[in-house]
Amino acid sequence: MTQGRTLTRKDFTSDQDVRWCPGCGDYAILAAVQGLLPELGAVPERTVFVSGIGCAARFPYYMATYGLHSIHGRAPAIATGLAVTRPDLDVWIVTGDGDALSIGGNHLIHALRRNVNLKILLFNNEVYGLTKGQYSPTSRVGQVTKSSPMGAIDQPFNPISLALGAEATFVARTLDNDRDHLQRTLRAAYEHRGTAFIEIFQNCIVFNDDAFLTVRDRATGGHNRIELVHGQPIVFGPDDDRRAVVTKEGGGVEVLPLREAGDRVVVHDAHADDPTRAFAVSRLTDRAGPAPFGIFRQVQRPLYEELLDAQVEQAQGHGTANLSALLSSGNVWDVPGD
């Protein structure tokens, strides 16, 4: 037990050898999580990491907490059951773009819409790394991989747009190599009551190196990173290339030089109940150019487990249940035998 003493990163670090490729972005994310949890007041015995399959899914092995390395894409289903039955736990899901958005796509969107108290970290490297470099649901059109030698032809998912479309109550994006931004985003997700979804641009140094170079690189990141701050106009870029996100005629938003923006500059409202504007901003993501980062949406809604508990209590107030009577009530019929 760790109760009553000051915890450190070491208390959340397991004795397992970390076996990601040297230079993998996963190392930075792991270090950020291990370093932040003691600052948040989390304790290992009430913390659980649930994963599916893929490179990211090894995450629970490296945490000195409880953990479940489950099957492909099913982490949201398993984590939902855990969070509903044990609301005293901090339940995290660690998943990748292949795990969460391919076979796990169905489970993910339903966890998001239900607003279970889960923290979902989606490591997006736009490729299947564990199985050696096939294209994934976030690979770009034309991306050459081992399974798309002539270029991928599938239209990729935008994970932020997907989460907003499912009306998740907390949706954010950050980067693996920006420790400060990553930890600030994780902290906000931890403090959110409900499903918090974070897409993390994660570099796969072996099979898709520099996929996010335009926003990760210090020389170009300042030009291309659109920082979202609630209540602030969405402007970005250095002084000699200041640009703004503005409303577009006919709907949506677009990027213009700040000097041409006039009064059309969008003021970011992460707390808007309607996710339409946040969705429009998420569509600005351009792998070759600017992309938004930060919290797209953060609203409050009742937790799924609270609604479920209330319904169970209401049902129990109706008296003792009789399963046999229930099964033989209403529209029933006999199937004659031979």
Side-chain angles (χ1 to χ4, degrees):
M1 294 288 289
T2 56
Q3 192 171 8
R5 67 182 178 85
T6 302
L7 303 182
T8 67
R9 176 184 170 184
K10 188 177 179 180
D11 292 295
F12 289 87
T13 304
S14 79
D15 60 358
Q16 299 298 300
D17 292 333
V18 182
R19 296 185 177 181
W20 289 314
C21 301
C24 174
D26 289 0
Y27 286 96
I29 303 171
L30 176 65
V33 172
Q34 290 172 332
L36 181 65
L37 287 180
E39 294 181 16
L40 296 175
V43 292
E45 56 265 31
R46 290 204 303 272
T47 303
V48 186
F49 283 85
V50 184
S51 65
I53 298 297
C55 295
R58 299 190 62 83
F59 202 94
Y61 290 108
Y62 308 137
M63 298 296 298
T65 64
Y66 289 102
L68 292 163
H69 187 172
S70 67
I71 56 177
H72 218 156
R74 267 62 172 188
I78 294 169
T80 294
L82 187 59
V84 167
T85 55
R86 288 292 305 272
D88 58 314
L89 301 178
D90 295 330
V91 183
W92 299 73
I93 293 172
V94 179
T95 184
D97 45 299
D99 182 59
L101 301 175
S102 183
I103 197 168
N106 192 40
H107 295 285
L108 176 67
I109 59 174
H110 291 293
L112 295 172
R113 76 180 174 90
R114 286 173 179 142
N115 200 37
V116 185
N117 196 27
L118 302 171
K119 315 308 167 195
I120 303 175
L121 310 183
L122 187 145
F123 298 7
N124 182 13
N125 57 20
E126 298 186 346
V127 75
Y128 282 93
L130 186 69
T131 49
K132 313 302 184 212
Q134 298 82 10
Y135 76 96
S136 84
T138 56
S139 295
R140 285 166 269 186
V141 173
Q143 186 169 324
V144 174
T145 71
K146 291 186 176 182
S147 59
S148 57
M150 299 181 69
I153 57 175
D154 294 6
Q155 185 66 30
F157 274 129
N158 177 325
I160 297 295
S161 299
L162 183 77
L164 290 167
E167 300 198 39
T169 54
F170 183 101
V171 181
R173 175 187 286 146
T174 185
L175 299 97
D176 58 1
N177 71 334
D178 188 337
R179 177 74 171 260
D180 180 62
H181 193 275
L182 176 57
Q183 288 204 327
R184 277 190 283 118
T185 308
L186 291 170
R187 179 185 292 275
Y190 182 82
E191 294 171 349
H192 177 74
R193 293 187 79 251
T195 303
F197 176 86
I198 304 177
E199 178 191 21
I200 305 173
F201 280 179
Q202 178 260 328
N203 194 48
C204 177
I205 195 169
V206 175
F207 298 107
N208 200 19
D209 194 20
D210 290 339
F212 308 108
L213 184 64
T214 55
V215 291
R216 292 179 83 253
D217 184 74
R218 293 186 185 279
T220 57
H223 290 264
N224 294 315
R225 286 179 53 169
I226 305 173
E227 299 290 350
L228 302 177
V229 180
H230 173 71
Q232 297 295 316
I234 307 178
V235 296
F236 65 101
D239 291 341
D240 61 348
D241 186 26
R242 205 68 174 151
R243 286 173 285 172
V245 175
V246 303
T247 53
K248 186 168 62 176
E249 290 186 20
V253 297
E254 62 182 340
V255 173
L256 287 179
L258 181 59
R259 62 181 180 278
E260 300 176 14
D263 60 357
R264 295 165 58 199
V265 179
V266 173
V267 175
H268 183 49
D269 184 2
H271 302 163
D273 189 56
D274 185 345
T276 304
R277 176 59 61 81
F279 184 89
V281 172
S282 77
R283 306 308 296 168
L284 293 172
T285 304
D286 182 352
R287 297 292 190 262
F293 291 87
I295 300 172
F296 290 73
R297 188 174 198 233
Q298 186 176 19
V299 297
Q300 295 298 318
R301 211 170 67 212
L303 296 180
Y304 176 83
E305 44 268 56
E306 292 176 345
L307 297 173
L308 182 62
D309 286 345
Q311 197 170 66
V312 170
E313 185 176 348
Q314 182 184 13
Q316 290 173 335
H318 292 168
T320 304
N322 185 326
L323 182 59
S324 177
L326 176 66
L327 293 176
S328 60
S329 65
N331 296 324
V332 296
W333 60 92
D334 294 324
V335 178
D338 293 333

